[in-house]
Structures are given as structure tokens and as C-alpha cells.
Amino acid sequence: ARRVGVERDLGHVEAKGRNRNVVPALAPFEAAGRQRCHAGWAAPGRAAALVGGKIMGSNRSAMNDFVDLGVVTSAAEGAWVELTFSAPAAYRYVKFYGAPTTYGALAEVELYAGDVRLSGEQFGTTGSRDDSGNTFDRALDGNPATFFESPLPNDGYVGLDVAQGHV
């Protein structure tokens, strides 16, 4: 699979004083202060739906006060979208927020600290499009053959609470 890169100088993740760098599965930790994440692997036949999607961070809760860390500007079928950003702030909650009218369609999102894939309490939009069973946890299961679609065309999201103790 081919990787598509999108460069952004925007953010990193930290939980209770411990850095949680966001980097991709297939790339090493680059340098202090630079982080990356796989913004997503498109649901089958839905690469265009990733464009306009965002990686966002918050310290308040899994629902409130999110800021944009990076925006997907291009995507290709069968390829990871990779966002790279610097560290102006620290965030406990990190999520992929789908572009408008896309049902938040997303096959996979991955967050890493160095070469360690982050784990944590998963959160996301409840339900699935047409009650199909394509719930948010499918975008966090490590399997790009499964995918998430929100029950509504707007405001679909999938994220992790990367609080201390979740690696």
C-alpha cells in the first residue's frame, strides 16, 4: 500500500506530564518536538470522504473544547493518510473528526508514541449508519477491512483518551 503524506506544524499529545507522541505505524519517531499520526485508512471505496477530516485534541473531555491539529487535504484508495505536526500544546483526548456529509467514514486511525501504538479508552459517535454495526470501535481495531460510519452525515468522530497508564 502506498502512503500519502500531509505536512502540518500543529500539535502533540501529553497526559499528566508524560509525553504521548503521535506518530505513524510505519515511520520511526523523527525528532524531539515532531509528531505524526495516521489520520486514517479510508473505508472501502471512500478515500474522498477522508478529505476535510481532522485530527483534533482536547484536555477537557472526550466531547468538549477540541482544537484542530491537522486537516486531511488528499487521500488515495488503499493508502494511509499521514499527518505530521509540531508540539505547541499537549492533549489528553485525540480524535479523528469526519468531514461534513461523509458519515465520518473511516476504516482505521492509529496514534503512536515513538514506535509504541497508543491504547486508551476509546470514544466516538454512538451507533452506525442504517444500524449496520459499523460502530466507532471498528476504526480502532487494527483491521483496515472493517470501518466506521456514523448514524448521521455530519459530526462523526473516533478517538482515544490517552490518559496516563494507557500505553
Side-chain angles (χ1 to χ4, degrees):
R2 184 172 72 82
R3 292 192 337 211
V4 176
V6 179
E7 293 285 330
R8 301 290 293 194
D9 286 319
L10 294 168
H12 84 281
V13 180
E14 182 176 76
K16 297 185 181 179
R18 183 172 175 192
N19 276 344
R20 306 289 187 174
N21 298 308
V22 182
V23 300
L26 302 176
F29 181 73
E30 302 249 320
R34 294 202 50 93
Q35 291 76 34
R36 297 171 136 186
C37 71
H38 280 313
W41 184 281
R46 304 282 307 272
L50 291 179
V51 175
K54 304 173 185 180
I55 296 293
M56 303 178 78
S58 171
N59 283 316
R60 182 164 178 210
S61 75
M63 298 289 293
N64 299 301
D65 297 336
F66 277 86
V67 297
D68 295 353
L69 301 177
V71 179
V72 177
T73 60
S74 66
E77 293 296 329
W80 282 104
V81 172
E82 184 177 306
L83 298 179
T84 301
F85 39 92
S86 297
Y91 299 99
R92 174 178 171 171
Y93 304 94
V94 181
K95 70 180 177 182
F96 174 83
Y97 186 83
T101 72
T102 65
Y103 291 85
L106 176 70
E108 206 62 38
V109 65
E110 294 182 348
L111 305 171
Y112 283 76
D115 60 355
V116 177
R117 185 172 177 181
L118 294 178
S119 62
E121 185 175 341
Q122 300 175 357
F123 63 90
T125 305
T126 302
S128 63
R129 187 175 183 177
D130 300 325
D131 293 321
S132 62
N134 294 320
T135 53
F136 73 81
D137 57 311
R138 292 194 171 191
L140 296 164
D141 65 4
N143 181 359
T146 63
F147 62 95
F148 162 68
E149 276 191 307
S150 170
L152 300 172
N154 298 311
D155 302 319
Y157 61 92
V158 175
L160 286 178
D161 172 356
V162 294
Q164 188 170 350
H166 282 300
V167 172

